[in-house]
């Protein structure tokens, strides 16, 4: 497989402008003749579908929820970055670029990141014009806060519901286009297969989740904006339906999967409380602006009430280890520090898996009212779940699976290794390297959907001839048949275990062996265990009911089946990467707890290619060159 | 932390939109008060599946009170007994050992049942299509700070924009009116300077769509606001009515086209 990243030549600051000029355009009158399928209606999918429809393309958009507004982007809390420098605190496109490359631990592609920083500015303008009610100051101008991994305040927010408000903006633009007839929306439809003809993406196969009908859809280009695969860990901050199916099916059809082992474990989530727990709730990282993270210095203090532990017996471990960033150290670093404290027997709460996030000092300094203004809804949410009042008792937090930097490999045009298949948002691998900075996922999803893909897809369409095909084409028929057979197979096993129980089993393996810390022995063990769970799945699964109506167990089983293969790919990638970088911490490669990168051997994107054997994919490498931000050890001390 | 509980459930089961429905009884045993309401149902479903029976279908996704996907009548109350709380955020500590809980889908003509507790809420999307947006094409805007907006207006717009589109207001309303949902969007956009050019025709078309979908009229009972998990205020309905009346007087009729963008 040849990986051509198609990075335009020239100085980094001019690449995107130059590329935009060089790309071919589609004549306005011809645009409606092109049919583009967008799978996903999150920030990436909805913004792309709406923008392409505005340009005149004929768009179909698919989502598995009952309305595009429910995509998981809705849950993002903290904010979105934009290099506006409204605070006059030294921000710039260059600095956002630099922070993102460094934050990603030098494992992202410079050209993409620079473009992301450039368009970040337009995103804020676009959203405000759509009516996104960002927080404002008394003078009427936009407010900002700071986020982990940055020393400037460049994060825009709408209370603790930034994702909701941004998604509603994109959703409303999408509904406007649906009403106009430019987009046809397919809610409660799940994509189960990608269709390629002569190696080119020409459509998808979906299952209507209400009627069970398996349908083929033909298009001139396919876009996947299907989100991340964080649910491979079973417990995560993701919504229940988040899955790897769309991207994993595309991988099996030939799209390279890049850096699957780069997953982000978010430091501030509510710890696990019970055995039937179905999800972990994130407490926005913005809380770390005013909350101080600590554990008792002495193990014997772990059971004591926090208020009874005197100041000198507390270990504010982030402030101690990373004095210049303190509580705002990047996520990977903060998560690992919390894990270390708990491994050391100083964790608090049930099972000793928690650290305090304490607002007492800020409440003293700013008053409870100001704290309520900043975080009121997050405090309420915490109290609703834990029955504890964070104005009085410090919050307890623990890291949880949250975001996945890995995803389908894409070139500068956001096209995968399958011509015509474009991938946007969390589903691609492109901009965050080995670790994503806070408030940058929303930015990337909207950058891809509003400002990058609408250009690059035009170039793809204008540069190629499309043979007319219908769903009668043998490739479409074969794909439909494959989906029907798979559904029948899942329904026909009649075993004794639920899809959920297999998902939990997989999640345990992934969390233990391929979570916050990884090592060769553990990964090899996981690589033995996962195929065994998978084998049992196909022999002992039970799915009640039929395939011709709403069957949530069947949906779940299909997603778990893909996770059971995908988990293996993740472990293979983690095993091969014999270095520590960003979210990928290999215990063998460290300097007294700090990640040790190996730029000589691993400064590349690992793009895995499916071979037909789930356990033996082929590794392709895209070398990474750092011409503008010089390779350096990432330090937040 | 108290011990576990046993809960009796009476659940509306309906195989499809046209199938007749009926209540069936189940027992949820050894429920931890720390678990969420939906986790309690997960355990009941896991047991049903292992017995080879159809599990109870219910909608959910984020399980943190923001996507608006979940929702059911719990003992006759939309989203259950806790104020300002979606079904997914309800915790079993709100119940006690031995309680009986009746579960029903949202009941409204405009929301037909799909299966068990799952209903079709697509009318809500169509109301947004009728005008719940600001027509601004990607790439055209001015600088975000070019137009200051008073903090008060921005905050109030945000209060309205917090609606999650769950439909509880419809389910709670004796007339099955969708006014609170519609008013929330009309107010969110109408409170902002960017929303002014389309303000009145937005109100006219969204209200027209609401009627077209078969929702009932609003008589300002206030049940909607009591059930709303996001505390959307009924004052927004008054605002919507004002915009509607002003629109009816001032807007030229040919401008009121459905979903015009
Ligand atoms: C709790 C939480 C808080 C966060 N907070 C922040 C934050 O403050 N700032 C920030 O920058 N980022 C944040 N993130 C990350 C960010 O929200 C996500 O990375 C981003 O929203 C992903 O957007 P997306 O459009 O790529 O995917 P999603 O929003 O996940 O959308 C995926 C879409 O694909 C559809 N889909 C998926 N699979 C299929 C299929 N097989 N068939 C059909 N449709 C399918 C779904 O229906 C959905 O419409 C947060 C994430 C979480 C979990
Ligand atoms: S107004 Fe409240 S109850 Fe009605 S849909 Fe919105 S959030 Fe739900
Ligand atoms: S499941 Fe998302 S609001 Fe309840």
């Amino acid at each position: 497989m040849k990986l051509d990243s198609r990075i335009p030549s020239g100085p980094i600051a001019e690449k995107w402008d130059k590329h935009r000029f060089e790309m071919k355009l589609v004549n306005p009158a011809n645009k409606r003749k092109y049919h583009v399928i967008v799978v996903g209606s999150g920030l990436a999918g909805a913004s792309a579908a709406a923008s392409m429809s505005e340009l005149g393309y004929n768009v179909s958009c698919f989502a598995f929820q009952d309305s595009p507004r429910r995509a998981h982007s809705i849950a993002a809390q903290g904010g979105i970055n934009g290099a506006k420098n409204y605070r006059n605190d030294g921000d710039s496109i260059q600095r956002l670029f630099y922070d993102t490359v460094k934050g990603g631990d030098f494992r992202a592609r410079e050209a993409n990141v620079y473009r992301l920083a450039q368009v970040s500015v337009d995103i804020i303008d676009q959203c405000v014009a759509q009516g996104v009610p960002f927080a404002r100051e008394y003078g009427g101008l936009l407010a900002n806060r700071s986020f982990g991994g940055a020393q400037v305040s460049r994060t825009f927010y709408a209370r603790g519901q930034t994702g909701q408000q941004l998604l509603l903006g994109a959703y409303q633009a999408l509904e406007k286009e649906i009403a106009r007839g430019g987009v046809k929306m397919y809610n409660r439809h799940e994509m189960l297969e990608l269709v390629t003809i002569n190696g080119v993406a020409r459509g998808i196969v979906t299952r209507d989740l209400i009627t069970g009908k398996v349908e083929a859809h033909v298009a001139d280009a396919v876009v996947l904006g299907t989100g991340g695969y964080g649910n491979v860990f079973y417990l995560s901050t993701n919504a229940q339906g988040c899955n790897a199916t769309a991207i994993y099916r595309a991988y099996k059809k030939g799209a390279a999967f890049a850096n699957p082992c780069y997953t982000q474990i978010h430091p501030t989530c509510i710890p696990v409380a019970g055995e039937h727990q179905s999800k972990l709730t994130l407490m926005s990282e913005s809380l770390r602006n005013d909350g101080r993270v600590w554990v008792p210095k002495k193990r014997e203090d772990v059971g004591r009430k926090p208020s009874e532990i005197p100041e000198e017996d507390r270990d504010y471990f982030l402030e101690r280890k990373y004095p210049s960033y303190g509580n705002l150290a990047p996520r990977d670093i903060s998560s690992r520090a919390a894990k270390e404290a708990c491994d050391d027997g100083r964790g608090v709460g049930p099972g000793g898996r928690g650290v305090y996030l304490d607002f007492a000092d800020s409440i003293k300094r700013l008053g409870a009212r100001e704290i309520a203004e900043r975080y009121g809804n997050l405090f309420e949410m915490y109290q609703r779940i834990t029955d504890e009042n964070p104005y009085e008792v410090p919050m307890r937090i623990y890291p949880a699976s949250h975001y996945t930097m890995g995803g389908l490999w894409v070139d500068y045009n956001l096209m995968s290794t399958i011509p015509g298949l474009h991938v946007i948002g969390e589903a691609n691998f492109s901009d965050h390297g080995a670790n994503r900075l806070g408030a940058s996922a929303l930015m990337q999803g909207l950058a891809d959907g509003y400002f990058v893909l609408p250009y690059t897809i035009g170039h793809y369409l204008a540069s190629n001839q499309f043979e007319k095909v219908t769903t009668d084409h043998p490739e479409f028929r074969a794909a439909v048949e494959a989906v029907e057979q798979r559904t029948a197979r899942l329904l026909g096993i009649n075993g004794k275990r639920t899809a959920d129980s297999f998902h939990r089993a997989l999640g345990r393996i992934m969390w233990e062996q391929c979570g916050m810390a990884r090592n060769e022995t553990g990964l090899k063990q996981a690589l033995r265990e996962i195929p065994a769970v998978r084998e049992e799945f196909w022999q002992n699964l039970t799915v009640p009911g039929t395939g011709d109506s709403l069957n949530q167990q069947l949906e779940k089983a299909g997603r778990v089946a893909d996770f059971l293969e995908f988990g293996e790919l993740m472990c293979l990638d983690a095993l091969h990467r014999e270095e520590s970088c960003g979210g990928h911490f290999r215990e063998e490669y460290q300097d007294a707890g700090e990640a040790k990168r190996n730029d000589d051997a691993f400064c590349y994107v690992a793009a895995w290619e499916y071979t037909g054997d789930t356990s033996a994919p082929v590794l392709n490498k895209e070398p990474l060159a750092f011409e503008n931000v010089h390779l350096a050890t990432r330090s937040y001390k | 932390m108290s011990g576990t509980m046993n809960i009796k459930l009476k659940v509306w089961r309906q195989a499809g939109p046209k199938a007749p429905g009926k209540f069936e009884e189940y027992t949820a045993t050894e429920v931890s008060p720390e678990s969420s309401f939906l986790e309690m149902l997960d355990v009941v479903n896991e047991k049903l599946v292992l017995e080879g029976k159809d599990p109870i279908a219910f909608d959910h996704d984020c399980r943190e009170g923001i996507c608006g996907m979940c929702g059911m009548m719990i003992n006759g109350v939309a989203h259950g007994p806790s104020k300002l709380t979606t079904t997914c955020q309800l915790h079993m500590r709100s119940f006690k050992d031995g309680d009986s809980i009746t579960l029903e889908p949202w009941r409204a003509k405009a929301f037909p049942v799909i299966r068990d507790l799952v209903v079709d809420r697509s009318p809500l999307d169509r109301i947004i299509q009728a005008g719940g947006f600001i027509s601004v094409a990607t790439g055209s805007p001015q600088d975000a700070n070019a137009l200051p907006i008073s903090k008060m207006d921005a905050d109030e717009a945000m209060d309205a924009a917090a609606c999650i589109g769950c439909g509880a207001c419809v389910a709670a309303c004796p007339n099955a009116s969708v006014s609170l949902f519609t008013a929330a969007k009309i107010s969110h956009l109408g409170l902002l300077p960017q929303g002014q050019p389309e303000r009145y025709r937005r109100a006219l078309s969204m209200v027209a769509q609401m009627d077209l979908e078969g929702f009932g009229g609003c008589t300002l009972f206030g049940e909607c606001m009591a059930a709303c998990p996001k505390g959307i205020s009924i004052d927004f309905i008054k605002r919507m009515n004002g915009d509607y009346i002003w629109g009816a007087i001032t807007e030229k009729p040919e401008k009121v086209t459905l979903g015009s963008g």
Side-chain angles (χ1 to χ4, degrees), chain A residues 39-45 62-65 68 71-80 147 189-191 225-228 237-238 242-243 245-246 282 331 402-403 424-427 436 438-443, chain B residues 64:
Chain A
V39 188
S41 66
L43 285 179
F62 297 80
F64 66 75
Q65 292 95 343
H72 184 54
S73 295
I74 200 94
Q77 302 171 351
I80 177 167
F147 244 66
H189 276 69
E190 182 163 28
M191 167 186 160
T226 50
T237 63
N238 287 8
C242 292
N243 66 87
T245 290
L282 176 83
R331 292 178 174 173
H402 174 63
Y403 181 86
I424 56 177
E426 193 173 339
R436 173 174 73 75
S440 285
L442 302 182
M443 172 173 73
Chain B
E64 55 182 86

Side-chain angles (χ1 to χ4, degrees), chain A residues 309-598:
Chain A
I309 302 178
E311 205 51 36
E312 64 273 17
D313 286 341
R314 300 175 175 194
D315 178 11
Y316 294 91
F317 55 87
L318 289 177
E319 295 170 26
R320 173 170 58 80
K321 293 169 98 167
Y322 307 100
S324 63
Y325 281 70
N327 294 297
L328 288 176
R331 292 178 174 173
D332 52 340
I333 290 178
S334 307
S335 291
R336 264 196 314 278
K339 178 179 189 288
E340 270 166 30
C342 296
D343 289 348
D344 189 35
R346 295 184 291 138
V348 297
R353 290 278 141 196
V355 300
Y356 291 124
L357 179 62
D358 197 336
F359 291 87
D361 286 350
S362 300
I363 292 175
K364 233 183 275 159
R365 184 164 45 93
L366 302 163
R369 246 187 84 179
E370 178 60 27
I371 292 296
E373 169 84 8
R374 291 186 191 178
Y375 311 110
N377 62 322
L378 296 171
F379 277 36
E380 272 166 37
M381 181 149 131
Y382 181 84
Q383 182 159 18
R384 202 169 290 135
I385 293 171
T386 61
D387 215 16
E388 287 174 3
N389 179 355
Y391 292 98
E392 286 160 13
V393 194
M395 283 186 180
R396 281 177 296 106
I397 54 165
Y398 196 67
S401 153
H402 174 63
Y403 181 86
T404 53
M405 283 76 67
L408 291 183
W409 185 90
V410 288
D411 63 15
Y412 190 72
N413 292 329
L414 303 180
M415 190 160 84
S416 71
T417 54
I418 299 179
L421 179 70
H422 296 72
V423 192
I424 56 177
E426 193 173 339
N428 74 23
F429 89 108
S430 94
D431 296 352
H432 309 293
N435 173 56
R436 173 174 73 75
L437 292 182
S440 285
L442 302 182
M443 172 173 73
Q444 183 226 328
L446 291 180
D448 289 358
Y450 283 134
F451 296 110
V452 180
L453 186 76
Y455 288 95
T456 59
I457 204 140
H459 178 65
Y460 170 76
L461 294 169
S463 314
N464 290 283
Q465 296 285 325
F466 298 94
E467 181 198 341
K468 193 156 173 48
V469 294
T470 68
T471 53
D472 284 334
H473 190 284
E475 291 289 352
F476 274 95
R477 289 195 184 193
V480 167
E481 204 169 300
V483 168
E484 281 169 346
Q485 276 175 6
R486 204 171 130 92
T487 306
R489 197 170 155 213
L490 288 168
L491 285 164
I493 302 170
N494 293 321
K496 293 198 162 48
R497 281 180 68 178
T498 60
D500 241 4
S501 84
F502 287 104
H503 195 181
R504 274 196 292 266
L506 174 69
R508 254 193 308 272
I509 299 172
M510 298 305 294
W511 184 246
E512 289 304 321
Q513 316 296 5
C514 200
M516 266 185 285
R518 303 150 178 193
N519 62 50
E520 184 181 341
T521 319
L523 288 166
K524 286 192 168 153
Q525 188 184 330
L527 287 169
R528 283 190 301 275
E529 288 174 2
I530 297 167
V533 177
R534 190 164 68 222
E535 198 174 306
E536 194 195 337
F537 175 90
W538 287 107
Q539 276 162 17
N540 200 19
L541 171 76
T542 179
V543 177
T546 57
D548 58 4
S549 64
L550 179 70
N551 187 338
Q552 294 169 323
Q553 290 288 318
L554 178 62
E555 294 164 28
K556 172 94 211 203
R559 294 171 192 159
V560 173
D562 286 330
F563 276 135
L564 283 168
E565 293 185 15
F566 173 72
E568 192 174 352
L569 183 66
M570 240 175 98
C571 292
L572 282 169
D573 187 39
L575 181 64
H576 115 280
R577 191 167 279 280
E578 293 176 342
E579 65 164 348
S580 293
C581 58
H584 172 64
F585 189 75
R586 279 284 299 265
E587 288 169 344
E588 304 95 315
Y589 307 99
Q590 55 173 308
D591 262 335
E594 300 301 317
K596 204 164 135 195
R597 269 193 351 245
N598 180 348

Side-chain angles (χ1 to χ4, degrees), chain A residues 14-151:
Chain A
E14 289 161 29
K15 283 182 196 291
W16 179 231
D17 279 351
K18 176 168 166 277
H19 190 59
R20 275 199 298 184
F21 178 70
E22 285 169 359
M23 278 188 292
K24 290 192 183 154
L25 297 174
V26 178
N27 173 325
N30 283 340
K31 285 198 176 111
R32 74 190 142 77
K33 294 184 195 146
Y34 289 109
H35 181 212
V36 181
I37 283 177
V38 178
V39 188
S41 66
L43 285 179
S47 59
S51 303
M52 290 191 291
S53 168
E54 283 166 8
L55 287 172
Y57 296 111
N58 170 9
V59 179
S60 297
C61 183
F62 297 80
F64 66 75
Q65 292 95 343
D66 72 332
S67 161
R69 68 181 291 153
R70 309 208 198 280
H72 184 54
S73 295
I74 200 94
Q77 302 171 351
I80 177 167
N81 287 330
K84 284 286 199 184
N85 194 29
Y86 283 159
R87 305 267 77 73
N88 195 27
D89 58 359
D91 199 12
S92 61
I93 287 168
Q94 181 70 24
R95 185 172 299 280
L96 175 53
F97 163 63
Y98 173 84
D99 286 351
T100 309
V101 170
K102 177 183 170 198
D105 216 354
F106 301 91
R107 290 295 175 263
R109 197 190 279 150
E110 274 193 340
N112 287 54
V113 178
Y114 196 90
R115 175 178 64 191
L116 175 67
Q118 279 177 305
V119 303
S120 72
V121 179
D122 304 325
I123 296 171
I124 305 303
D125 298 342
Q126 180 67 25
C127 296
V128 166
Q130 287 172 341
V132 170
F134 282 124
R136 287 181 184 264
E137 292 167 345
Y138 284 101
L141 301 182
L142 291 159
N144 287 109
R145 53 165 63 136
S146 48
F147 244 66
Q151 288 175 316

Side-chain angles (χ1 to χ4, degrees), chain A residues 235 240 274-280, chain B residues 31-32 34-45 58 63 87-88 90-92:
Chain A
L235 284 181
Q240 302 289 296
E275 134 196 42
H276 296 299
Q277 189 134 355
S278 56
K279 86 158 279 161
L280 295 172
Chain B
V31 179
S32 153
E34 299 306 312
S35 70
S36 75
F37 192 82
L38 295 185
E39 284 162 3
M40 180 273 294
L41 283 183
D42 288 343
V43 176
V44 172
N45 272 347
F58 59 89
R63 296 205 175 188
T87 303
C88 62
L90 185 62
H91 275 72
M92 292 311 292

